Structures are given as C-alpha cells and as structure tokens.
Amino acid sequence: MATLNRRWVYARMLEGQLSASNFERRDEPAPQLRQGQALVRVRLVSIDPANRLYFAMQAYRPQLAPDDVMAGFGIGEVVESTDPRFRPGDLWHGDFGWQDYAVINSYDRHEYWHRCSEGYKESDLIGVLGITGMTAWFGVEEVLRPQAGETAVVAGATGACGSLIAQLLKLKGCRVIGIGGGPEKCRWLLDELGLDAAVDYRAPDMAAALHAACPSGVQLYSDAVGGDVSRAVLPLMGRGGRWYHFGNLSAYGDARPGAPAERHDSFMSDGLRAHCRQEGLKPRFLLVFDHYCRRLEAEAQLARLLQDGRLVAPSTEIAGFEGLPGALIGAGGPGKIGKLNVRISSDHAASA
Ligand SMILES: NC(=O)c1ccc[n+]([C@@H]2O[C@H](COP(=O)([O-])OP(=O)(O)OC[C@H]3O[C@@H](n4cnc5c(N)ncnc54)[C@H](OP(=O)(O)O)[C@@H]3O)[C@@H](O)[C@H]2O)c1
C-alpha cells in the first residue's frame, strides 16, 4: 500500500481577498527517492505573513503559480534516505510546503534547509531558533545596535519577531514601547514581556498615546508593519536614529499577482520624507537569509537566553492538517500571540 501524501495546493489564482477557495486538497502517493535524496515527514508548519507574498511576487522563494503545492517553512523528520548526509530520525528545517512528505536532496539549492540542533522543542526550532529568531537577532545586532537608556518602539510587538525584538532590546537596557492590537494584547506586553509602555495601534488616539509614551523621542524603531504605525513613529525620531524596516505587513492584504509592486516606503507622505531627509533617517531592510553565515552564532546566543530564562518564546499552535488554509486566512485568530504554527503530523493514518 502506497504511503499517502496529503497536500494543500494553491489551486485558484488570488484575485481578491485570500479565501479557502484559493486552496484545494490534492493528495497523492508519497514521492519515491532517487540517489542523493531524503524523504522528510513534515511535523510542524510555520504560518507567516510572508506566505501571503508568495502568491504575488518572489519573496524569500520563487512566486507561487496555480497547481503548486502551497509553500511554507516547517520542521520535519527524515524518515528515509539515500544519502548519508541525511540521517533517518534527524529533524530538518526548510520550505517543505503544506504537505506530509517533502524531498530534500544533496545536489539542489538548499541554503534554506538546515539540520536542526538537538535538544530543543519543535516550537523553538521553528520560531526563536529559526527564521523568526534570526530576523530578530540580526536586526538588533546589525541594524538597531542598541545603547542602554535609548528609547525603542517595536511595531508588531505581540507577533513572532516583535515579541523577541522587544525582549532583546530590554535586555540591552533600552526603554521599550510595544505596539499591540487591542487592550488585552497591550496588557500582555506589559505583564508578560515587562515592557515599559504599550500602545494600541487600533485606538483612534494611537499617535498621541505614542507621543506621550516617548517624552525623549525615539532612537530605535523596529518596523514590521509600515502604514499608520510608521507614520506615527517616524516624526518622533531624529538624527542618529536607527530604523529596522524588515516588513510591510499593513500592505500584505493587497498583495496579489499582477498588482503594482509595493514600495516599502509607500506609506510615507511628502512631509514625512522631508523629515527623514532632514534628520538623515534611512530605513534599513535586512533579508534574514543574507545573514545566515551568522546563524549558528545567533542560535547559540538565543538558546542560552532561553535556557537562562531571560527570554521567552511565545507561540500559538493549531492542530490538524485541515486547519492550514484557515490558519493563514485568519492569521491564528484574535488570541494569537507570538509564533503561529500548525501541527500536522499526529493526525494522519499515513496510508492509502
Ligand atoms: N526581512 C526578513 O527577512 C523577514 C523575516 C521574517 C519576517 N519578516 C517580516 O516581519 C514581519 C512580522 O513577521 P512576524 O512573523 O513577526 O509576523 P506576526 O507573528 O504575524 O506578527 C506581526 C504582528 O503585527 C501586528 N499587525 C498586523 N497587522 C498590523 C497593522 N496593519 N498595523 C500594525 N500592526 C499590525 C499584529 O499584532 P496584533 O496581533 O497585536 O494585532 C501581528 O501579531 C512581516 O512583515 C514579515 O514579512 C521579514
């Protein structure tokens, strides 16, 4: 009996809002291996804002076309191998897609695959010790370069990257203001992350509240979202400020095939541009994979902070392969905090 590979395929071209009708289940037998390959049984799938960009453009990976298996990073176990580099039982991290089984090989481009270090929880391997944690750590170390006493604003602070960046900046002695969506999430930023202030980006007085929370201005800005939040933060920044602009989440809902390419600074007014020019403020973008030469160093430092209890890595897990499209469409729902993952491995009979 052939082993079944359940697959979610990007079946219909995105035209309006992303919906369940863009996806289709198309199961097929698990792939057969050739020389130099390994079969990975996917366990945990990472749901990221970037998944939405895959429909519209080349972002971290080639653009998706209809009939492609939906792309997504994940953690999986090598269950079969024809190459000694891949040992059965090892966990690997990579863009395995929304399916039970993926093939990795020793001769194709594989810079985004890596064997996971042993001894860590899967939710940490996919989050704080994976792309999320690297994005946070490189941003803090290479772009923000915090000094104790500086005021930092972290947009998307309840999210996967932002919750880590906010904590790393606190550990460096900064005064940290987190931006969250709604009163409950703002309370979480204060109570659980110990931030100095929290501002609700959905509240009508967001800009005034931010101004009040930053009496000495803003020296560091971790910007995952652009939009209204950036329009409120940037006027509070002056010469010498560091602006880590690593995502434009507020615009991702409009990303679709054929749409005009989104400029990263499209949220800026002429007045804001003039302010940035006058103050020498420049966004610094960083693509996490460009910095992977430092991945193991970052992993070691983040792991030490976790083990010492100085860093927490919040995550939200949804169970079940069926839940994959809904998890991306609903971004985990209103209660989602930190890294969002879907566990797909424990609910499958694996034969057809
Ligand atoms: N450059 C790179 O290499 C790289 C790598 C990884 C990620 N990224 C980018 O980093 C960003 C964050 O990723 P993530 O994994 O941390 O995502 P995430 O876990 O979804 O967190 C993002 C948070 O942003 C908040 N948010 C959503 N829409 C917003 C809006 N319109 N205005 C203000 N805040 C909003 C939400 O907070 P609430 O839940 O509190 O509403 C959400 O939790 C994304 O843009 C992603 O593409 C870039």
Side-chain angles (χ1 to χ4, degrees), residues 225-246:
V225 301
D228 289 343
V229 175
S230 291
R231 275 193 286 271
V233 177
L234 290 168
L236 305 178
M237 296 185 77
R239 198 153 281 282
R242 276 91 76 206
W243 171 14
Y244 179 32
H245 184 43
F246 60 102

Side-chain angles (χ1 to χ4, degrees), residues 13-19 22 253 255-256:
M13 182 87 89
L14 183 64
E15 281 168 354
Q17 288 297 307
L18 184 67
S19 76
N22 294 110
R256 52 188 56 94

